[in-house]
Amino acid sequence: GQQVMQIPQYQHVQEGEDFTTYCNSSTTLSNIQWYKQRPGGHPVFLIQLVKSGEVKKQKRLTFQFGEAKKNSSLHITATQTTDVGTYFCLFRGAQKLVFGQGTRLTINP
Amino acid sequence: KAGVTQTPRYLIKTRGQQVTLSCSPISGHRSVSWYQQTPGQGLQFLFEYFSETQRNKGNFPGRFSGRQFSNSRSEMNVSTLELGDSALYLCASSLLAGETAEQYFGPGTRLTVT
């Protein structure tokens, strides 16, 4: 079935360093969404990408959708302690919704 | 506007029992999806409802079932509970169903099976 691989599983950085998580699909995606889940919290929608090669920015966060629409990335510039949490990608596959495994970001202040 | 609410927030059950979890979507939202979250498996899709109809279903056994009412509130039921059913159950609502539907998650119900 349609699957998405998200890497890395864990990332620990010093505050101020950059962070990137990647989602890679075996098949072409129609769109992809990104969510953030803080420790003890629930997933919160960040953004949706629809177009091939699309790049969207939200302050220090940059989201990209690959030209072939098979991969996507979330990049955080100059991490802050408020960025701590798990970042998930989500897409709608054949008759079901599929989350990536998530990348758990921890930050050393 | 009130967010997605889930009840109960915490639940402890024993193996073999059944459980019903409830989800009230954001007012005006007609689509509700359910997910199971565990440390080992991450977030896994259970089912999706829109206007009282199940649109999609994940790869879970028949012990997991759900329904949606005319006011868009949804319930999910797990029968013959197993230890492996211990998880955080999240529901999410969206205005419409479809690929571009942004989902709003509730706080979840933490189910512990002993």
Side-chain angles (χ1 to χ4, degrees):
Chain A
Q2 197 167 18
Q3 292 186 342
V4 62
M5 293 297 296
Q6 186 172 358
I7 55 171
Q9 190 175 359
Y10 302 98
Q11 184 79 58
H12 180 75
V13 300
Q14 289 290 127
E15 188 175 14
E17 290 182 337
D18 292 357
F19 160 78
T20 306
T21 175
Y22 302 89
C23 278
N24 300 298
S25 170
S26 56
T27 58
T28 302
L29 305 173
S30 56
N31 70 356
I32 194 161
Q33 297 178 350
W34 286 92
Y35 290 79
K36 175 185 177 182
Q37 185 174 20
R38 287 200 162 97
H42 56 272
V44 174
F45 175 82
L46 293 175
I47 210 154
Q48 176 170 264
L49 304 170
V50 179
K51 300 175 184 176
S52 168
E54 189 170 16
V55 178
K56 287 188 177 180
K57 293 191 176 184
Q58 288 179 350
K59 297 182 180 177
R60 293 178 295 103
L61 278 61
T62 301
F63 303 84
Q64 292 189 321
F65 204 7
E67 292 290 342
K69 300 180 76 173
K70 286 188 175 183
N71 57 77
S72 181
S73 65
L74 157 59
H75 179 83
I76 302 178
T77 303
T79 55
Q80 299 175 358
T81 53
T82 53
D83 297 324
V84 163
T86 302
Y87 294 84
F88 297 94
C89 59
L90 167 69
F91 74 95
R92 183 179 291 271
Q95 299 186 343
K96 63 179 182 178
L97 292 144
V98 181
F99 269 100
Q101 296 89 338
T103 296
R104 183 178 172 191
L105 173 63
T106 54
I107 298 174
N108 212 19
Chain B
K1 206 181 248 189
V4 178
T5 57
Q6 291 187 245
T7 56
R9 292 292 310 279
Y10 302 92
L11 206 49
I12 300 176
K13 291 284 190 178
T14 56
R15 275 181 300 176
Q17 287 187 315
Q18 75 162 12
V19 66
T20 299
L21 312 181
S22 180
C23 171
S24 292
I26 291 171
S27 178
H29 284 198
R30 296 169 62 190
S31 179
V32 173
S33 301
W34 287 90
Y35 299 85
Q36 180 195 65
Q37 186 173 32
T38 59
Q41 298 296 319
L43 278 156
Q44 292 190 287
F45 171 69
L46 282 157
F47 20 67
E48 178 186 30
Y49 288 89
F50 180 75
S51 293
E52 302 179 66
T53 301
Q54 186 179 90
R55 290 187 79 241
N56 295 303
K57 191 177 189 302
N59 299 324
F60 278 81
R63 299 185 298 106
F64 291 81
S65 63
R67 58 178 175 169
Q68 186 180 31
F69 301 96
S70 57
N71 61 359
S72 294
R73 190 177 70 85
S74 178
E75 288 182 347
M76 68 162 278
N77 184 77
V78 188
S79 61
T80 321
L81 284 166
E82 301 178 358
L83 295 179
D85 297 333
S86 294
L88 180 67
Y89 289 88
L90 292 159
C91 89
S93 77
S94 54
L95 191 59
L96 299 171
E99 289 183 349
T100 58
E102 172 184 337
Q103 297 194 74
Y104 296 82
F105 283 81
T109 294
R110 174 77 60 186
L111 172 65
T112 302
V113 182
T114 61

